[in-house]
Amino acid sequence: MPEDIFLHLGQRIKEAREKCGLTQQELADQTGRGLRHLQDIEKGRKNPSFDVLASFIRRLGISADELFYPGASEQEKQVQHFMGKFLACTEEERQIILKTLDCMAEQFISRHYKASAPQDYE
């Protein structure tokens, strides 16, 4: 695999880690990985195994697409980021999120129809 792929992968992991407000040590501890191993991955010096990547993806609440498809649109990235967080939640938490989103979407849709409804003039 070309070295620039490892650099890209490491940079994306680092960005996600920082976005979560985690230090390298905290991420390493929370995923059961060694600090030096994480540092090497973030610097593009190591090719992480599937197990290592999976543990980072779960803890950071990101989608694998965020790591492997850098050309996605900003909106696609936001959706994938949300999906990563969603999948990191428990089933009960996911149901709460889905019900909340459904309610919010219904409120927005209702506002669209109210805004476009003809006004009664007397």
Side-chain angles (χ1 to χ4, degrees), residues 79-98:
V79 168
Q80 290 304 320
H81 180 75
F82 172 78
M83 285 303 298
K85 296 281 189 194
F86 177 78
L87 293 172
C89 293
T90 66
E91 185 59 35
E92 182 179 338
E93 293 164 339
R94 289 180 195 171
Q95 289 304 312
I96 293 168
I97 291 169
L98 288 174

Side-chain angles (χ1 to χ4, degrees), residues 12-82:
R12 299 295 299 163
I13 291 169
K14 179 181 179 181
E15 289 169 3
R17 175 182 57 74
E18 290 174 343
K19 194 171 185 178
C20 287
L22 296 172
T23 65
Q24 287 179 326
Q25 186 67 61
E26 289 170 330
L27 180 58
D29 290 346
Q30 292 175 17
T31 57
R33 309 298 169 185
L35 175 60
R36 175 74 66 199
H37 189 66
L38 172 58
Q39 291 170 333
D40 287 342
I41 290 169
E42 285 190 358
K43 290 182 180 177
R45 294 190 297 233
K46 288 239 176 171
N47 178 10
S49 69
F50 175 83
D51 289 343
V52 170
L53 276 179
S55 68
F56 292 160
I57 287 168
R58 277 191 300 274
R59 172 53 192 98
L60 297 171
I62 59 175
S63 163
D65 288 351
E66 288 184 64
L67 298 178
F68 298 110
Y69 299 105
S73 71
E74 191 56 38
Q75 189 172 33
E76 289 171 319
K77 288 178 184 178
Q78 289 172 348
V79 168
Q80 290 304 320
H81 180 75
F82 172 78

